[in-house]
Amino acid sequence: MCLAVPGRVLDIEERDGTRMATVDFGGVVKEVCLEYLPDLQVGEYAIVHVGFALQRLDEESARQTLELFAELGMLQEEFGDPWEMAAKEAGTDPLEEVRNP
Amino acid sequence: MKYIDEFQDPELARRLLDDIHATVTRPWALMEVCGGQTHSIIRHGLDQLLPEQVELIHGPGCPVCVTPLEVIDKALEIASRPGVIFCSFGDMLRVPGTGRDLFQVRGEGGDVRVVYSPLDALLIAQRNPDREVVFFGIGFETTAPPNAMTVHQARRLGIGNFSMLVSHVRVPPAIEAIMSSPSCRVQGFLAAGHVCSVMGVEEYPELAERFRVPIVVTGFEPLDILEGVRRAVRQLERGEHTVDNAYARAVRPEGNPAARAMLEDVFEVTDRAWRGIGVIPDSGWRLSPKYRDHDAEHRFAVDGIRTAEPAECRSGEVLQGLLKPHECEAFGTLCTPRTPLGATMVSSEGACAAYYLYRRLDLPATTTVREASPVV
Ligand code: SF4
């Protein structure tokens, strides 16, 4: 969880008095709070941590980092299903409760 | 240099490595502070590509690992209460408290939910006004500002059924504690890049000066780490000890001023216990009195819970760079990612787990390590 992942701003809107953006992380799209980078614009890149944009990043280094993360499976760790991963670690089958409710 | 083809830019990696090899004349011990860096190092075998004289020591920079056992126990207690929706980041699910973890609490009927962002927990609170919603707020300076903003929003929007169990930690006091230990071998630091994205570098010159130790702000991609090592080794060979920013694409000297201002408003500095290490003065944050209403520790009266750690686990020494994971007797036998004794094994960012998963065992061939399937 200490990973901060670069993403590209697709869209910006105000919600409940808070500046929010839709951000694309190499295919995974998430809602991101822009309160700490209020002048970030659509099309720009930022490093995002637990749903908050924390610092601007230039396009080239963002792209490189994303490619590397994808290659290393780190995006799966960051955005994958935590229950499934926890179940795997616990040695139980995550689908069991679905199959035998 | 057998793994070098895996680098995004193998040519650049080779040049950095050549430069490091040409610079080193004596042994040096560097500590990478961030757990993400540790993983990158082990995963890419960076420590094996570096000259033998350069030793990388793993630091305490994994928030999941350093969260004290008694805080986990407080979380388990709150999560088990009827009427509570307990929200957490996914990587806390399997961190062992005394006897169980959040994953098991959910199995026993507790309403434990995983969120990607603390704001998701706030949304859950808004949608469930008749329930108490608690968010598990742990992490370093990178995670603290999102959590601070969330508490601020809860207060601003008057969301009374939202509270946070806060156990945030700060890097500079940990560096100070490590350097002050009589058994300390660390001669240079690779500081955690994303922590500095928020805090900037202003906290470090005083430490670099006082302990005469170079501090190089470093990202966690393999090339970033090689560059961080290169700059740290250069300084050491020249007898210098300054703060150097090798991650300028994400770190401005002043960090993120808006985030820092929010941290100051919502939190106050406090002593914190680090799992396996013990209390480090001024090394953490708690909610400031203004936000007491949103402090889960008070709301659920769990401040009395006290817990001791398992005696076999030596994660404290691992976290301080005094012991390599595989030197712990329980490593790979009593303690595996499936049956973790300490959080440095359960967290996929922990040093023990990193050694286990990437088979960096340096162990006799007979040791029983085959049972595991990698977590990742
Ligand atoms: S191997 Fe397990 S018991 Fe040993 S230090 Fe690591 S977490 Fe603790």
Side-chain angles (χ1 to χ4, degrees), chain B residues 312-316 318 323 325-326 328-332 335-336 340-346 352-353:
Chain B
E312 308 89 341
C313 176
R314 304 181 64 185
S315 61
V318 172
L323 186 85
H326 61 269
C328 165
E329 284 209 350
F331 181 89
C335 180
T336 70
L341 284 182
T344 41
M345 181 61 92
V346 77
C352 295

Side-chain angles (χ1 to χ4, degrees), chain A residues 1-2 82, chain B residues 64 88-95 346-349:
Chain A
M1 66 163 255
C2 58
Chain B
V64 181
S88 168
F89 295 130
D91 39 14
M92 294 308 286
L93 295 180
R94 293 277 298 137
V95 178
V346 77
S347 155
S348 64
E349 283 161 20

Side-chain angles (χ1 to χ4, degrees), chain B residues 70-78 165 297 302-303 305:
Chain B
E70 65 183 39
V71 174
I72 310 284
D73 281 350
K74 286 174 188 176
L76 297 172
E77 164 67 26
I78 295 172
L165 178 62
E297 234 175 299
V302 291
D303 16 13
I305 293 182

